[in-house]
Amino acid sequence: MLGTLKPADVEDFLNTQVVGRIATHADGETYIVPISYAYDGQFIYCHTNEGKKINMMRKNPKVCFEVDELKNMGNWKSVITHGLFEELKNKEERNAAMHILLNRNLPLISSVTTHLGEQWPFEPTDISEIKGIVFRIRITEKTGRFESTSKSPELPG
């Protein structure tokens, strides 16, 4: 069965995943990269360093963000969001976003890029000590699709 995810399923999926892909476009170039994230029901929050994606989003804040899960070719889910990049430079907003990122559920085996700060998994006394850029995506649209199949299609002959 191929179908559209219900709004509650879209929300649940965005809340339970850890890595998505952010697509940017600026100066005639499109760029897509994976990034770890946290979702609070309104915004997608990310932490990163200076680089190509940040430069492109500063030029054109319109982004697309995709999250998927592939169990096999007949069993998958995908959520696509569109929104606006907002760099969080204000200390209170940045710290609030860092708390959301620090409190997300991560897999038991994670990576350096999901560890925020040298004291990870513990929160530092001063969260503003964590270096890097914090941004959020103000979501303007969300859609989700899925396929669920219990067996492979019959081969001819």
Side-chain angles (χ1 to χ4, degrees):
M1 174 198 323
L2 189 62
T4 300
L5 291 173
K6 296 175 186 169
D9 295 329
V10 168
E11 293 300 308
D12 182 58
F13 194 61
L14 286 171
N15 274 310
T16 58
Q17 299 303 303
V18 179
V19 174
R21 288 159 195 81
I22 190 164
T24 64
H25 183 83
D27 299 328
E29 180 181 9
T30 302
Y31 184 61
I32 184 168
V33 291
I35 191 166
S36 64
Y37 75 97
Y39 177 66
D40 72 350
Q42 183 178 4
F43 297 100
I44 293 168
Y45 293 93
C46 302
H47 174 266
T48 191
N49 294 309
E50 289 286 347
K52 187 172 188 168
K53 71 180 165 293
I54 291 296
N55 292 336
M56 291 177 80
M57 290 186 296
R58 285 175 179 152
K59 290 179 182 179
N60 178 5
K62 292 180 182 178
V63 299
C64 182
F65 188 81
E66 188 267 350
V67 180
D68 60 53
E69 177 181 66
L70 177 69
K71 292 182 180 174
N72 58 53
M73 292 305 292
N75 293 281
W76 54 265
K77 292 180 189 176
S78 175
V79 169
I80 295 176
T81 67
H82 294 269
L84 298 172
F85 161 79
E86 298 177 350
E87 189 169 346
L88 301 177
K89 295 180 179 180
N90 171 283
K91 184 177 179 176
E92 289 77 26
E93 287 182 332
R94 185 183 190 281
N95 287 352
M98 289 301 295
H99 281 292
I100 292 167
L101 285 161
L102 285 164
N103 290 308
R104 65 190 158 163
N105 289 323
L106 292 173
L108 188 56
I109 299 174
S110 57
S111 73
V112 172
T113 57
T114 59
H115 300 178
L116 301 174
E118 295 178 15
Q119 298 177 28
W120 189 92
F122 305 104
E123 200 169 298
T125 306
D126 182 2
I127 204 165
S128 61
E129 290 178 0
I130 299 173
K131 297 189 183 342
I133 297 165
V134 179
F135 69 92
R136 67 185 178 193
I137 300 169
R138 179 179 299 277
I139 298 172
T140 57
E141 181 183 351
K142 293 179 262 193
T143 59
R145 304 275 295 161
F146 73 93
E147 184 173 2
S148 178
T149 308
S150 59
K151 65 177 186 168
S152 293
E154 300 285 326
L155 293 174

